[in-house]
Amino acid sequence: MTKAPVRDGLPKGFRSAELGWPELDRIPHPPHRIPLLGDVVGMNRHTPLQDTLRYARRLGPVFRQKAFGKEFVFVWGARHTADLAEESRFAKHVGLGIANLRPVAGDGLFTAYNHEPNWQLAHDVLAPGFSREAMAGYHPMMLAVARQLTEHWDRAAATGRAVDVPGDMTKLTLETIARTGFGHDFGSFERSRPHPFVTAMVGTLTYAQRLNTVPFPLAPLLLRRASRRNAADIDRLNRTVDELVRARRASGRGDGDLLDRMLQTAHPRTGERLAPENIRRQVITFLVAGHETTSGALSFALHYLSRHPEVAARARAEVDRVWGAAAEPAYEQVARLRYVRRVLDESLRLWPTAPAFAREAREDTVLAGEHPMRRGAWALVLTPMLHRDPEAWGADAERFDPDRFEAQAVRSRAPHTFKPFGTGARACIGRQFALHEATLVLGLLLRRYELRPDPAYRLRVAERLTLMPQGLRLRPKRRSPVREPASGLRRPVPGAGD
């Protein structure tokens, strides 16, 4: 089951739970376990996460599942997750789902093993690209892409048509990361069908998800055709990025974006530079991760805003008050949308678009004083269940309520109860980028439109390693423009309150 040790002394490859949890029998598992198959009977291969969430509710904050001879330990209790978040005792574990993406992303920031040096090199080289100064520089490009979205929605509003929310948010976030990070325009809003890069990206994510649900010995046989498609998708991603890098090298343009940093910047202490193959992997990582999760977050937030008109009205009033009659907000004004940000956070609480992260023990330890773990043992944190733990969020944890993120409420909760971006040294490097982009876009859409839902729609969640509301369509209705008060004075910008 295990492979030869690697540089840090830990085994590489999948490690079944019985290898690392000495008292595994104490951890509950679903009833009616079947030899060879394990606990997969009754599970839908299209919604494995949501099926696992149902088991989590029944089995408690630490439980296990077995599939085709592989045993997994899941954790979602706030107390247990806080223990796993301790960097001195636990580190990121590149679990099966992430490892399935290594053929395309290799040792990129998201998929690198802890012992691989390139993730730290890339992190240190690229971190200044997410500084406040860099973010302020991205703001005008974010606005330019948002204008393309609103022009598209204006046409739909004029004819009374509904818009494809996940599709449009995917176009928006892909263009935003491509232009701000790499100076590239995919032309997404001029296309009637998704850009081939998006089609290939969805293909690779879906294939990686399928690998999680197929017994390894049978995967080459059962997924032969899908494997060929996946190889073609990876080739498409690689060729797209290679062309993008070639164009930048040929132009010699150095505008300080993420690609410029990858090509030109040496590590501030060691003088090391990213190798060409690693640059390709980092670009793919940013293009995929930099738009896939944000588009899901925006889509879920728009769904909840459309279903909670009182929340939308309060958020819209804040936008009108903070931004006034200015045609577009300044960079500093976005951070003042505190209630809009709460809407986004509450949407990420209920449906974190990256729905799990894995942690492994650095040394022999005991999880939360209850479950012994050997060095290298790992657990998968189910973020949607962590975000619903009644010990942290109350008995009404399933209810959508942005005021859970009012400042006093946040201070009153235990740490490590809200983890939509992972945890520790390997948490998402682009968190502030995503939050600024999403808050800006929500503010722009709230100010410009009323969002009318389809009364017959019921939320369905699509899984392709990340989460997205499936089939979500809204009907935007244009609002009257915000005007200055009669005195001609600008509306006051609120301080700490809203």
Side-chain angles (χ1 to χ4, degrees), residues 387-408:
H387 292 174
R388 289 168 165 81
D389 186 347
E391 287 189 16
W393 301 96
D396 65 345
E398 295 284 350
R399 184 171 62 89
F400 179 78
D401 179 10
D403 282 339
R404 296 181 200 276
F405 290 91
E406 192 275 332
Q408 185 174 349

Side-chain angles (χ1 to χ4, degrees), residues 119-263:
W119 81 262
Q120 187 70 64
L121 172 61
H123 183 279
D124 293 347
V125 166
L126 295 172
F130 296 98
S131 65
R132 189 180 185 282
E133 181 183 9
M135 293 291 300
Y138 301 146
H139 179 75
M141 288 182 274
M142 291 182 178
L143 284 170
V145 178
R147 277 183 228 120
Q148 289 191 296
L149 172 70
T150 55
E151 288 168 5
H152 174 63
W153 280 28
D154 283 352
R155 290 190 291 272
T159 57
R161 288 185 292 109
V163 294
D164 171 8
V165 174
D168 288 346
M169 294 305 108
T170 296
K171 292 178 180 179
L172 170 97
T173 55
L174 176 65
E175 290 299 329
T176 299
I177 187 59
R179 295 188 200 182
T180 58
F182 310 105
H184 185 72
D185 185 346
F186 281 103
S188 298
F189 285 100
E190 287 80 50
R191 296 173 174 271
S192 58
R193 302 178 67 180
H195 189 282
F197 182 92
V198 174
T199 303
M201 179 219 57
V202 171
T204 59
L205 293 177
T206 302
Y207 181 77
Q209 177 79 304
R210 288 194 67 186
L211 285 177
N212 290 342
T213 61
V214 175
F216 175 74
L218 299 179
L221 178 64
L222 296 178
L223 300 180
R224 184 180 301 168
R225 183 181 299 177
S227 178
R228 287 197 296 268
R229 282 199 305 269
N230 186 58
D233 288 336
I234 291 174
D235 182 62
R236 164 74 71 175
L237 297 178
N238 288 340
R239 284 188 288 112
T240 300
V241 170
D242 288 348
E243 290 168 10
L244 188 154
V245 173
R246 267 196 305 273
R248 173 61 63 87
R249 289 189 188 276
S251 72
R253 188 177 82 248
D255 54 8
D257 63 12
L258 294 177
L259 182 55
D260 189 43
R261 293 176 189 276
M262 292 182 195
L263 293 171

Side-chain angles (χ1 to χ4, degrees), residues 208-483:
Q209 177 79 304
R210 288 194 67 186
L211 285 177
N212 290 342
T213 61
V214 175
F216 175 74
L218 299 179
L221 178 64
L222 296 178
L223 300 180
R224 184 180 301 168
R225 183 181 299 177
S227 178
R228 287 197 296 268
R229 282 199 305 269
N230 186 58
D233 288 336
I234 291 174
D235 182 62
R236 164 74 71 175
L237 297 178
N238 288 340
R239 284 188 288 112
T240 300
V241 170
D242 288 348
E243 290 168 10
L244 188 154
V245 173
R246 267 196 305 273
R248 173 61 63 87
R249 289 189 188 276
S251 72
R253 188 177 82 248
D255 54 8
D257 63 12
L258 294 177
L259 182 55
D260 189 43
R261 293 176 189 276
M262 292 182 195
L263 293 171
Q264 304 296 336
T265 305
H267 192 279
R269 291 192 306 277
T270 67
E272 287 182 274
R273 293 179 182 271
L274 295 176
E277 184 180 26
N278 188 255
I279 290 173
R280 173 207 273 174
R281 290 169 171 173
Q282 302 298 355
V283 174
I284 289 175
T285 296
F286 276 107
L287 286 173
V288 174
H291 92 274
E292 174 76 359
T293 51
T294 310
S295 62
L298 279 164
S299 298
F300 281 114
L302 289 167
H303 165 72
Y304 285 115
L305 284 167
S306 73
R307 293 290 172 150
H308 296 270
E310 73 289 353
V311 172
R314 185 175 169 188
R316 187 176 291 116
E318 179 186 62
V319 177
D320 290 345
R321 185 171 67 249
V322 173
W323 291 0
E328 292 177 331
Y331 171 75
E332 296 80 8
Q333 287 179 297
V334 176
R336 296 182 185 136
L337 296 184
R338 292 176 174 84
Y339 187 72
V340 174
R341 170 63 186 277
R342 291 181 210 165
V343 170
L344 179 63
D345 284 345
E346 178 69 347
S347 302
L348 282 168
R349 181 185 73 83
L350 288 169
W351 290 110
T353 50
F357 61 92
R359 301 284 283 173
E360 65 181 37
R362 296 182 185 270
E363 302 293 344
D364 291 358
T365 189
V366 180
L367 176 62
E370 297 173 357
H371 298 287
M373 298 175 68
R374 296 191 182 102
R375 182 174 187 241
W378 63 280
L380 195 66
V381 177
L382 289 174
T383 321
M385 284 302 299
L386 167 67
H387 292 174
R388 289 168 165 81
D389 186 347
E391 287 189 16
W393 301 96
D396 65 345
E398 295 284 350
R399 184 171 62 89
F400 179 78
D401 179 10
D403 282 339
R404 296 181 200 276
F405 290 91
E406 192 275 332
Q408 185 174 349
V410 171
R411 287 193 296 268
S412 69
R413 272 193 300 276
H416 305 298
T417 55
F418 183 58
K419 292 289 185 180
F421 297 96
T423 193
R426 300 288 301 276
C428 176
I429 191 175
R431 171 179 180 169
Q432 294 307 319
F433 182 100
L435 290 172
H436 181 85
E437 176 190 7
T439 306
L440 168 66
V441 171
L442 288 178
L444 291 169
L445 296 180
L446 282 164
R447 184 163 73 160
R448 197 173 187 88
Y449 309 104
E450 292 179 9
L451 304 169
R452 298 183 173 179
D454 176 357
Y457 179 76
R458 295 295 177 267
L459 180 63
R460 302 186 307 279
V461 178
E463 300 180 24
R464 54 189 192 213
L465 290 184
T466 61
L467 305 181
M468 183 78 75
Q470 184 175 350
L472 175 62
R473 301 182 69 83
L474 297 177
R475 203 174 299 276
K477 181 178 182 294
R478 281 296 302 270
R479 297 178 65 223
S480 300
V482 176
R483 302 187 185 280

